């Protein structure tokens, strides 16, 4: 099914009429207008209370969640316009049309005219993640900024990571802002939450996976470490970086050499650079395809 786009309807007069209506009549008028312009069966117009639990927004984030089968319902602004992503969304999920101002109230910020209610996320344990025989994992130590969290998860998924590991207490939540920053990658990547990273690192090493901390003062330049082997990259937050006990549990500490005056990249940029180095080494090892 495709999303509904309201056609022209004496727009200036219609808008003027809406402004003269009491607030409780505005949505009813918009719903009536939408129903008059339904192009075919299968579209729905939102006229009921909306649950805000598990709500994400942004066109890429919602589309990736729909591709992963996690979307219950899509809420699309009547003014969203035409976009191939919206057309694909309409084929993957149930779409309801809402007034733009209502969508803005549901999903404050830059929502790009789309939000979605999600099914509960699968909760992975570290044991379950390790049972998948992962080749590349990313563990995040005190990433407290949702934008950084989302950006790192996006880089991890793009680089072919088999999963991510987050501490239960020292981490930004997987909020709508983090999901949007990940461009939907968080909906595709298995994510395990652990009580503490030091003990998790020990479990990962017992599974035969090298644990490598990304550290501005690391002894080894990133390109000198062999990332073709099974590896878990540990990325620390802004400022403190990877905590001392976590670094001590890791097998190696690698650095990204810099040429400027600023001492280091920010967390998400550093993670992206290191993950690209992992991809580069593995591509060379595989040879021409």
């Amino acid at each position: 099914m495709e999303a509904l786009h309201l056609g022209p309807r004496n727009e200036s007069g219609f808008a003027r009429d809406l402004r003269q209506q009491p607030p409780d009549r505005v949505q009813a008028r918009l719903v009536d207008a939408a129903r008059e312009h339904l192009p075919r069966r299968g579209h729905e117009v939102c006229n009921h209370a909306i649950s805000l639990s598990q709500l994400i927004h942004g066109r890429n984030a919602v589309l990736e969640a729909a591709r992963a089968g996690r979307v219950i319902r899509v809420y699309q602004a009547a003014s969203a316009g035409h976009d191939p992503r919206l057309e694909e969304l309409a084929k993957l999920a149930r779409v309801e049309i809402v007034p733009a101002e209502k969508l803005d109230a549901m999903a404050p910020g830059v929502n790009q005219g789309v939000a979605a209610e999600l099914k509960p996320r699968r909760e992975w344990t570290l044991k379950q993640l390790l049972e998948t025989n992962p080749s590349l994992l990313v563990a995040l130590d005190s990433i407290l900024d949702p934008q950084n969290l989302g950006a790192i998860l996006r880089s991890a998924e793009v680089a072919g990571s088999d999963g991510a590991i987050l501490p239960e207490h020292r981490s930004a939540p997987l909020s709508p802002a983090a999901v949007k920053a990940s461009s939907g990658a968080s909906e595709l990547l298995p994510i395990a939450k652990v009580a503490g990273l030091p003990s998790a690192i020990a479990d990962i090493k017992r599974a035969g996976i090298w644990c490598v901390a990304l550290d501005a003062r690391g002894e080894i330049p990133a390109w000198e470490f062999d990332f073709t082997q099974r590896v878990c990259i540990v990325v620390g937050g802004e400022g403190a970086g990877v905590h001392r006990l976590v670094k001590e549990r890791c097998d190696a500490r690698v650095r990204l050499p810099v040429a400027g005056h600023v001492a280091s990249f920010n967390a998400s940029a550093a993670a992206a650079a290191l993950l690209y180095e992992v991809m580069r080494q593995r591509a060379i090892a595989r040879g021409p395809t």
Side-chain angles (χ1 to χ4, degrees):
M1 58 186 164
E2 298 177 359
L4 166 66
H5 302 288
L6 291 178
R9 178 181 169 173
N10 188 19
E11 293 179 359
S12 59
F14 185 54
R16 189 183 311 111
D17 183 42
L18 281 181
R19 286 196 296 272
Q20 295 171 354
Q21 296 287 337
D24 60 350
R25 286 290 302 154
V26 171
Q27 183 181 351
R29 288 296 309 278
L30 286 166
V31 168
D32 290 342
R35 283 178 176 146
E36 290 178 17
H37 289 82
L38 284 174
R40 59 177 64 87
R41 295 178 62 189
H43 293 94
E44 301 181 25
V45 178
C46 183
N47 193 24
H48 61 271
I50 296 171
S51 169
L52 300 185
S53 62
Q54 295 288 316
L55 195 73
I56 64 170
H57 57 268
R59 297 188 183 190
N60 287 336
V62 171
L63 180 56
E64 292 298 344
R67 287 171 175 167
R70 290 202 57 224
V71 169
I72 297 173
R73 184 182 294 109
V74 174
Y75 302 104
Q76 181 178 315
S79 57
H82 296 277
D83 185 327
R85 291 171 294 181
L86 299 181
E87 294 172 6
E88 183 178 352
L89 260 180
K91 297 174 183 177
L92 295 173
R94 176 181 172 188
V95 177
E96 297 190 13
I97 303 302
V98 298
E101 60 270 22
K102 184 163 187 175
L103 187 69
D104 290 341
M106 293 167 55
V110 184
N111 55 45
Q112 299 179 311
V114 177
E117 186 179 356
L118 301 184
K119 300 173 185 176
R121 177 187 301 277
R122 173 179 173 177
E123 295 183 359
W124 289 76
T125 65
L126 180 58
K127 182 176 183 291
Q128 290 170 333
L129 189 55
L130 294 176
E131 286 172 349
T132 67
N133 194 32
S135 171
L136 174 61
L137 295 173
V138 178
L140 306 184
D141 183 12
S142 299
I143 302 294
L144 303 177
D145 182 344
Q147 300 295 324
N148 271 342
L149 174 60
I152 294 171
L153 293 177
R154 179 176 183 173
S155 295
E157 203 285 327
V158 168
S161 175
D162 299 300
I165 300 155
L166 306 181
E168 290 179 352
H169 302 296
R170 292 193 311 200
S171 174
L174 277 171
S175 63
V179 174
K180 185 173 186 293
S182 80
S183 199
S186 61
E187 305 311 302
L188 304 174
L189 197 65
I191 297 174
K193 291 192 175 182
V194 296
L197 274 184
S199 58
I201 295 297
D203 290 338
I204 294 167
K205 290 168 66 174
R206 278 193 289 270
I209 299 172
W210 290 85
C211 291
V212 180
L214 179 54
D215 183 5
R217 298 181 179 85
E219 299 88 356
I220 308 170
W223 51 76
E224 291 184 7
F225 188 86
D226 180 8
F227 285 108
T228 63
Q229 55 199 332
R230 298 174 71 205
V231 67
C232 175
I233 292 171
V234 184
V235 181
E238 300 288 344
V242 179
H243 283 81
R244 179 187 59 81
L245 186 55
V246 176
K247 283 192 288 192
E248 289 176 354
R249 295 285 177 92
C250 288
D251 298 295
R253 296 185 298 175
V254 301
R255 70 179 187 275
L256 295 170
V258 297
H261 297 291
V262 178
S264 64
F265 297 95
N266 73 12
S268 61
L274 186 57
L275 285 162
Y276 194 84
E277 174 63 15
V278 175
M279 290 177 60
R280 186 191 71 83
Q281 290 190 20
R282 293 183 176 192
I284 292 173
R286 285 194 303 269
T289 56

